[in-house]
Amino acid sequence: MKVGVLMIPGYQEFMYPLLKLLEDRNEHTLRDAYIQLADEFNLSEEQREKLLPSGKQKILHNRIGWARTYLKKAGLLKIVRRGVFVITEAGLDVLENPRVIAIDNAFLMQYEEFREFKNKEKIIAPPKVDPDDNSITPLEKIEQSYAVLKDEIKEELLEKVKSGTPLFFERIVVELLVAMGYGGSMKDAGQAIGRSGDEGIDGIIKEDILGLDMIYLQAKRWENTVTRPELQKFAGSLDGQRAKKGVFITTSNFSEGAKDYVNMIDKKIILIDGDALTDYMFAYNIGVSQEESFVIKKVDEDFFESE
């Protein structure tokens, strides 16, 4: 296929060709996809090298990357390790359907995982219409795109936290709590975490820099849902310490029974699941770094009215 000199296909146009590239069931990298899809679309050297307005990434790479992200959200491909992915059985089913000759966001909405992803995007970002709808303002598009980027980063953060060692998870908890204003210094917090030998308690940390009150911690790097019995055990451990405040952190999630239980008791136990953990990590810059910054400006009407 042939495109104009400056017309680079949109990310949705790359979806089907990208999935087709994975039809051999082998592992593929983004670097392979950049080259092979650029060849398939007969892109010129100028098109391959054209940069985003920020000047920090090629448009081609950005759009293929988003095509991969959306296919992954729909469960048509899966990431096996950073930058490497393979097709799934659901993806193969799509390619075997002779009626499917293109894939776009509307097509992906048939998959529950993708609908959940889009619904989450709607909760995070304001006024929701389709991001590709030209009726929304440029600012709304920026906000929606930011929500998608944040969700993608949080997902990758959680995967890295789960794949790390228990010691690494402990370090993340320490750095996060200190960044949030608890524990005093890193040295104080590091000494407090992991020192308790009491059953059901993984550590104790200062609530404030002076240590006027202490918070007891339980951290579970789990895949399974944390249920009510685990919270009851933790609450019992707090009783043994005559403590009234605790934080239970997990990489998974909490059952409704567990949430109901902590709302019933007189102790204050804060539940932080995998989604909340990565949300805090994102907000307090734990495990993430700034890649790009945009400042939105508007005309200062007061400045001109004073003339």
Side-chain angles (χ1 to χ4, degrees):
M1 33 186 106
K2 184 66 177 176
V3 295
V5 175
L6 296 178
M7 291 296 294
I8 302 169
Y11 74 95
Q12 295 184 83
E13 294 176 77
F14 281 120
M15 288 182 182
Y16 188 85
L18 176 57
L19 195 64
K20 189 72 175 175
L21 181 65
L22 308 182
E23 192 173 22
D24 58 10
R25 299 174 182 252
N26 293 329
E27 294 183 355
H28 290 264
T29 66
L30 274 173
R31 185 182 297 273
D32 293 337
Y34 298 152
I35 296 171
Q36 295 183 50
L37 292 178
D39 289 343
E40 180 171 344
F41 280 89
N42 295 318
L43 297 183
S44 66
E45 192 63 28
E46 181 182 3
Q47 290 168 320
R48 297 174 194 233
E49 297 299 320
K50 188 172 178 60
L51 300 175
L52 291 167
S54 66
K56 293 189 175 181
Q57 187 183 26
K58 295 177 182 178
I59 294 176
L60 175 68
H61 293 186
N62 179 267
R63 293 181 179 178
I64 292 176
W66 278 112
R68 184 200 64 163
T69 293
Y70 276 53
L71 291 174
K72 181 185 73 171
K73 295 295 185 182
L76 303 186
L77 63 79
K78 63 180 180 181
I79 309 299
V80 292
R81 56 184 178 278
R82 184 173 178 80
V84 181
F85 45 94
V86 296
I87 196 169
T88 63
E89 289 301 322
L92 289 169
D93 289 342
V94 170
L95 296 180
E96 290 172 1
N97 186 341
R99 292 178 296 177
V100 179
I101 58 174
I103 298 174
D104 57 16
N105 290 343
F107 177 87
L108 297 179
M109 287 298 288
Q110 67 183 286
Y111 298 99
E112 182 179 356
E113 292 178 351
F114 189 77
R115 290 197 300 272
E116 290 176 357
F117 160 66
K118 297 300 286 184
N119 288 336
K120 184 187 295 183
E121 182 186 347
K122 290 179 181 179
I123 293 171
I124 298 172
K128 293 320 286 182
V129 276
D130 191 288
D132 300 308
D133 186 348
N134 291 326
S135 66
I136 66 175
T137 68
L139 182 57
E140 287 173 324
K141 288 185 179 181
I142 290 174
E143 291 174 338
Q144 292 174 18
S145 297
Y146 178 82
V148 175
L149 285 167
K150 180 180 177 181
D151 186 71
E152 181 74 6
I153 291 169
K154 285 178 58 180
E155 185 175 310
E156 188 173 345
L157 276 174
L158 191 57
E159 289 175 1
K160 288 187 175 297
V161 170
K162 288 181 177 180
S163 64
T165 64
L167 186 62
F168 181 65
F169 183 43
E170 176 182 305
R171 175 187 156 196
I172 290 172
V173 171
V174 171
E175 291 197 21
L176 177 59
L177 291 174
V178 170
M180 295 174 73
Y182 301 101
S185 68
M186 277 294 297
K187 180 180 179 182
D188 292 339
Q191 289 176 343
I193 300 282
R195 281 195 348 188
S196 175
D198 298 294
E199 184 178 5
I201 295 176
D202 289 333
I204 308 167
I205 196 168
K206 296 176 183 176
E207 183 175 12
D208 56 81
I209 196 167
L210 296 178
L212 296 175
D213 205 351
M214 307 301 286
I215 298 175
Y216 288 74
L217 306 171
Q218 176 70 277
K220 295 288 189 184
R221 193 168 56 96
W222 277 11
E223 289 288 345
N224 297 329
T225 297
V226 178
T227 58
R228 177 170 175 152
E230 289 294 330
L231 270 298
Q232 290 174 317
K233 180 180 175 182
F234 183 49
S237 299
L238 294 182
D239 282 334
Q241 298 294 322
R242 297 183 179 179
K244 293 188 176 181
K245 296 178 182 179
V247 178
F248 199 116
I249 304 173
T250 181
T251 52
S252 58
N253 51 45
F254 296 95
S255 69
E256 290 303 316
K259 295 175 185 177
D260 291 341
Y261 173 72
V262 297
N263 289 329
M264 291 166 43
I265 61 178
D266 58 355
K267 296 177 182 59
K268 185 66 175 179
I269 298 179
I270 300 299
L271 304 181
I272 300 179
D273 61 13
D275 184 64
L277 174 64
T278 53
D279 209 40
Y280 286 130
M281 290 176 67
F282 186 94
Y284 289 92
N285 295 314
I286 304 299
V288 298
S289 59
Q290 181 173 304
E291 180 178 14
E292 187 58 85
S293 178
F294 297 94
V295 178
I296 307 299
K297 297 186 179 183
K298 65 178 182 179
V299 173
D300 185 349
E301 298 292 349
D302 293 338
F303 175 83
F304 290 98
E305 288 179 2
S306 65
E307 184 179 358

